[in-house]
Amino acid sequence: MKQLIRNVYCVGRNYRLHAEELGNSVPSEPMIFMKPSHAIVPMDGSTIALPGGRGEVHYEAELVLRIARDYRPGMAVDELVDVMAFGIDFTLRDVQNKLKDKGHPWTAAKAFLNSAPLTPYTVFPGAADTAAEDFELRKNGEVVQRGNIGNMIFPLQEIVDYIAENYGLGEGDLIFTGTPEGVGPVATGDQLELLYGGRALGSCTVQLGSSSSAR
Ligand code: ZN
Protein backbone atom coordinates (compact mmCIF):
# COMPACT_ATOMS: atom_id res chain seq x y z
CA MET A 1 0.00 0.00 0.00
CA LYS A 2 2.92 2.33 -0.61
CA GLN A 3 0.76 4.66 -2.65
CA LEU A 4 0.98 8.38 -2.19
CA ILE A 5 -1.18 9.69 0.63
CA ARG A 6 -1.90 13.38 0.55
CA ASN A 7 -4.67 14.89 2.68
CA VAL A 8 -6.43 12.82 5.32
CA TYR A 9 -9.97 14.06 5.90
CA CYS A 10 -12.23 12.68 8.62
CA VAL A 11 -15.96 13.01 9.14
CA GLY A 12 -17.18 13.43 12.71
CA ARG A 13 -20.61 12.30 13.95
CA ASN A 14 -21.75 10.62 10.77
CA TYR A 15 -23.83 7.91 12.47
CA ARG A 16 -26.75 8.97 14.64
CA LEU A 17 -26.26 6.35 17.38
CA HIS A 18 -22.58 7.25 17.75
CA ALA A 19 -23.33 10.98 18.07
CA GLU A 20 -25.87 10.11 20.74
CA GLU A 21 -23.62 7.74 22.71
CA LEU A 22 -21.17 10.62 23.22
CA GLY A 23 -23.96 13.06 24.07
CA ASN A 24 -23.37 15.08 20.89
CA SER A 25 -26.04 16.67 18.72
CA VAL A 26 -26.49 15.36 15.20
CA PRO A 27 -24.87 17.86 12.80
CA SER A 28 -26.82 19.60 10.04
CA GLU A 29 -23.87 19.59 7.65
CA PRO A 30 -20.80 17.31 7.47
CA MET A 31 -18.35 17.97 10.31
CA ILE A 32 -14.84 17.66 8.88
CA PHE A 33 -11.52 17.49 10.68
CA MET A 34 -8.10 16.36 9.51
CA LYS A 35 -5.17 14.17 10.46
CA PRO A 36 -1.65 14.56 9.09
CA SER A 37 -0.55 11.84 6.66
CA HIS A 38 1.98 10.85 9.35
CA ALA A 39 -0.95 9.45 11.36
CA ILE A 40 -1.39 6.64 8.83
CA VAL A 41 0.19 3.33 9.73
CA PRO A 42 -0.40 -0.03 8.01
CA MET A 43 -2.72 -2.42 9.82
CA ASP A 44 -0.65 -5.44 8.89
CA GLY A 45 -0.57 -7.38 12.14
CA SER A 46 2.19 -5.32 13.71
CA THR A 47 2.18 -3.54 17.06
CA ILE A 48 1.19 0.10 17.05
CA ALA A 49 2.49 2.52 19.68
CA LEU A 50 -0.09 4.97 21.00
CA PRO A 51 0.15 7.70 23.64
CA GLY A 52 0.07 6.55 27.26
CA GLY A 53 -0.74 8.53 30.37
CA ARG A 54 -3.13 10.89 28.62
CA GLY A 55 -6.44 9.30 29.53
CA GLU A 56 -8.53 6.87 27.49
CA VAL A 57 -7.57 6.02 23.91
CA HIS A 58 -10.71 5.03 22.00
CA TYR A 59 -11.02 3.01 18.81
CA GLU A 60 -13.37 4.24 16.06
CA ALA A 61 -13.76 1.82 13.13
CA GLU A 62 -14.44 3.55 9.82
CA LEU A 63 -14.75 3.02 6.09
CA VAL A 64 -11.94 4.87 4.31
CA LEU A 65 -12.17 6.06 0.71
CA ARG A 66 -9.13 6.64 -1.46
CA ILE A 67 -9.60 9.36 -4.05
CA ALA A 68 -8.20 8.35 -7.43
CA ARG A 69 -8.41 11.58 -9.43
CA ASP A 70 -8.86 15.30 -9.10
CA TYR A 71 -12.45 16.27 -8.37
CA ARG A 72 -14.53 18.12 -10.90
CA PRO A 73 -18.03 19.37 -10.01
CA GLY A 74 -20.69 16.83 -10.84
CA MET A 75 -18.41 13.81 -10.49
CA ALA A 76 -19.98 10.74 -8.94
CA VAL A 77 -18.28 8.96 -6.04
CA ASP A 78 -17.98 5.90 -8.25
CA GLU A 79 -15.82 7.90 -10.70
CA LEU A 80 -13.70 9.47 -7.95
CA VAL A 81 -12.90 6.48 -5.78
CA ASP A 82 -10.94 3.47 -7.00
CA VAL A 83 -10.24 1.55 -3.80
CA MET A 84 -11.36 1.60 -0.21
CA ALA A 85 -9.97 0.37 3.08
CA PHE A 86 -11.07 0.27 6.66
CA GLY A 87 -9.26 2.16 9.36
CA ILE A 88 -9.30 3.18 12.97
CA ASP A 89 -9.65 6.82 13.95
CA PHE A 90 -7.87 6.56 17.32
CA THR A 91 -9.00 9.30 19.68
CA LEU A 92 -7.67 10.52 23.01
CA ARG A 93 -11.18 10.79 24.43
CA ASP A 94 -10.38 12.55 27.72
CA VAL A 95 -8.16 15.05 25.90
CA GLN A 96 -10.90 15.60 23.32
CA ASN A 97 -13.49 16.30 26.02
CA LYS A 98 -11.22 18.96 27.53
CA LEU A 99 -10.61 20.53 24.12
CA LYS A 100 -14.35 20.57 23.40
CA ASP A 101 -15.02 22.33 26.70
CA LYS A 102 -12.49 25.00 25.84
CA GLY A 103 -13.55 25.29 22.21
CA HIS A 104 -10.02 24.39 21.12
CA PRO A 105 -9.07 22.47 17.95
CA TRP A 106 -9.04 18.67 18.11
CA THR A 107 -5.48 18.17 16.83
CA ALA A 108 -4.07 16.92 20.15
CA ALA A 109 -6.89 14.39 20.51
CA LYS A 110 -7.11 13.12 16.94
CA ALA A 111 -3.96 13.80 14.95
CA PHE A 112 -1.17 12.14 16.96
CA LEU A 113 1.36 9.75 15.39
CA ASN A 114 -0.11 6.34 14.49
CA SER A 115 -3.63 7.59 15.15
CA ALA A 116 -4.90 6.22 11.84
CA PRO A 117 -4.12 2.53 11.19
CA LEU A 118 -5.29 1.49 7.73
CA THR A 119 -5.97 -1.98 6.30
CA PRO A 120 -4.72 -2.87 2.83
CA TYR A 121 -6.94 -1.45 0.09
CA THR A 122 -9.76 -3.48 -1.36
CA VAL A 123 -11.97 -2.98 -4.40
CA PHE A 124 -14.56 -0.20 -4.06
CA PRO A 125 -17.83 -1.83 -5.14
CA GLY A 126 -19.57 1.50 -5.80
CA ALA A 127 -21.37 3.76 -3.35
CA ALA A 128 -24.67 1.89 -3.53
CA ASP A 129 -23.15 -1.56 -3.03
CA THR A 130 -20.93 -0.69 -0.07
CA ALA A 131 -24.06 -1.06 2.10
CA ALA A 132 -24.58 -4.65 0.98
CA GLU A 133 -22.25 -5.87 3.74
CA ASP A 134 -21.63 -4.81 7.34
CA PHE A 135 -18.20 -3.92 8.66
CA GLU A 136 -16.98 -5.00 12.07
CA LEU A 137 -14.28 -4.24 14.57
CA ARG A 138 -13.21 -7.12 16.80
CA LYS A 139 -11.23 -6.53 19.97
CA ASN A 140 -9.46 -9.66 21.20
CA GLY A 141 -11.83 -11.70 19.02
CA GLU A 142 -15.05 -10.12 20.29
CA VAL A 143 -17.19 -7.88 18.06
CA VAL A 144 -17.22 -4.38 19.60
CA GLN A 145 -18.50 -2.34 16.63
CA ARG A 146 -20.70 -3.30 13.73
CA GLY A 147 -21.67 -0.72 11.15
CA ASN A 148 -23.32 -0.37 7.78
CA ILE A 149 -22.58 2.42 5.32
CA GLY A 150 -26.34 2.68 4.73
CA ASN A 151 -26.72 4.19 8.22
CA MET A 152 -24.56 7.22 7.54
CA ILE A 153 -26.18 10.60 8.18
CA PHE A 154 -24.32 12.10 5.22
CA PRO A 155 -23.93 9.61 2.36
CA LEU A 156 -20.66 9.23 0.48
CA GLN A 157 -21.67 11.52 -2.41
CA GLU A 158 -22.58 14.34 -0.04
CA ILE A 159 -19.30 13.92 1.85
CA VAL A 160 -17.08 14.09 -1.24
CA ASP A 161 -19.01 17.04 -2.68
CA TYR A 162 -18.82 18.93 0.62
CA ILE A 163 -15.09 18.31 1.12
CA ALA A 164 -14.24 19.10 -2.50
CA GLU A 165 -16.21 22.34 -2.56
CA ASN A 166 -14.87 23.62 0.77
CA TYR A 167 -11.36 22.20 1.07
CA GLY A 168 -10.43 20.54 -2.23
CA LEU A 169 -10.19 16.90 -3.21
CA GLY A 170 -7.65 15.20 -5.44
CA GLU A 171 -5.67 12.07 -6.17
CA GLY A 172 -4.16 10.47 -3.07
CA ASP A 173 -6.55 12.03 -0.58
CA LEU A 174 -8.16 9.74 2.00
CA ILE A 175 -11.52 10.19 3.71
CA PHE A 176 -12.32 8.50 7.03
CA THR A 177 -16.11 8.50 6.81
CA GLY A 178 -17.13 8.33 10.48
CA THR A 179 -17.74 5.63 13.05
CA PRO A 180 -20.87 3.78 14.18
CA GLU A 181 -21.81 3.27 17.82
CA GLY A 182 -19.81 1.10 20.20
CA VAL A 183 -16.59 3.11 20.56
CA GLY A 184 -14.50 2.26 23.62
CA PRO A 185 -11.03 2.21 25.16
CA VAL A 186 -7.99 0.09 24.32
CA ALA A 187 -5.29 -1.25 26.63
CA THR A 188 -1.78 -2.50 25.95
CA GLY A 189 -1.89 -5.93 24.33
CA ASP A 190 -5.35 -5.54 22.82
CA GLN A 191 -5.63 -7.00 19.36
CA LEU A 192 -7.90 -5.14 16.92
CA GLU A 193 -9.18 -6.63 13.69
CA LEU A 194 -11.29 -5.03 10.96
CA LEU A 195 -13.66 -7.09 8.81
CA TYR A 196 -15.98 -6.31 5.93
CA GLY A 197 -18.64 -8.81 4.93
CA GLY A 198 -17.07 -11.26 7.37
CA ARG A 199 -13.71 -11.03 5.57
CA ALA A 200 -10.70 -10.03 7.70
CA LEU A 201 -8.90 -7.05 6.13
CA GLY A 202 -6.28 -6.14 8.70
CA SER A 203 -5.27 -6.26 12.33
CA CYS A 204 -2.91 -4.69 14.82
CA THR A 205 -1.89 -4.95 18.44
CA VAL A 206 -1.93 -1.87 20.62
CA GLN A 207 0.83 -0.67 22.88
CA LEU A 208 0.23 2.37 25.04
CA GLY A 209 3.34 4.19 26.08
CA SER A 210 5.44 7.00 24.78
CA SER A 211 3.54 9.37 22.52
CA SER A 212 6.58 9.93 20.34
CA SER A 213 7.90 6.44 19.58
CA ALA A 214 7.13 4.79 16.26
CA ARG A 215 5.95 1.22 15.77
ZN1 ZN B 1 -14.02 9.12 13.78
Side-chain angles (χ1 to χ4, degrees):
M1 71 176 243
K2 213 55 213 160
Q3 273 172 302
L4 176 73
I5 294 172
R6 294 207 312 187
N7 303 293
V8 182
Y9 293 106
C10 304
V11 185
R13 303 177 197 170
N14 202 22
Y15 291 81
R16 189 172 306 276
L17 293 178
H18 169 62
E20 289 174 2
E21 76 181 343
L22 294 183
N24 292 316
S25 57
V26 172
S28 55
E29 61 182 287
M31 202 180 110
I32 308 299
F33 63 95
M34 297 187 73
K35 292 181 187 254
S37 56
H38 307 289
I40 301 288
V41 61
M43 213 166 154
D44 58 3
S46 53
T47 296
I48 293 177
L50 296 172
R54 300 182 61 196
E56 289 194 345
V57 184
H58 277 198
Y59 52 77
E60 297 189 358
E62 313 198 356
L63 165 73
V64 181
L65 302 179
R66 183 186 181 275
I67 304 302
R69 52 190 55 84
D70 291 349
Y71 177 93
R72 279 178 285 103
M75 260 190 177
V77 175
D78 294 8
E79 296 174 80
L80 267 176
V81 175
D82 57 350
V83 290
M84 65 181 192
F86 285 81
I88 299 177
D89 165 20
F90 275 123
T91 304
L92 283 163
R93 191 68 71 200
D94 295 322
V95 172
Q96 186 191 32
N97 287 336
K98 286 195 194 106
L99 296 172
K100 278 186 193 168
D101 286 346
K102 292 181 184 167
H104 287 177
W106 287 6
T107 310
K110 288 283 200 181
F112 50 91
L113 281 171
N114 300 342
S115 62
L118 195 67
T119 70
Y121 294 115
T122 185
V123 164
F124 180 66
D129 287 348
T130 50
E133 310 267 22
D134 287 348
F135 63 98
E136 269 178 17
L137 176 67
R138 294 186 187 173
K139 185 171 100 167
N140 303 323
E142 182 194 335
V143 178
V144 288
Q145 284 190 283
R146 179 177 284 124
N148 188 289
I149 280 84
N151 292 329
M152 286 182 175
I153 295 169
F154 301 103
L156 300 179
Q157 186 68 52
E158 212 169 320
I159 291 169
V160 298
D161 289 340
Y162 184 90
I163 291 174
E165 285 161 16
N166 287 282
Y167 310 116
L169 200 56
E171 183 182 358
D173 291 346
L174 297 181
I175 305 176
F176 281 66
T177 57
T179 197
E181 71 277 15
V183 302
V186 291
T188 292
D190 281 347
Q191 198 233 9
L192 298 174
E193 186 174 38
L194 281 167
L195 299 91
Y196 178 64
R199 192 161 55 95
L201 295 180
S203 68
C204 65
T205 300
V206 166
Q207 182 170 16
L208 302 186
S210 159
S211 58
S212 56
S213 68
R215 277 172 295 137

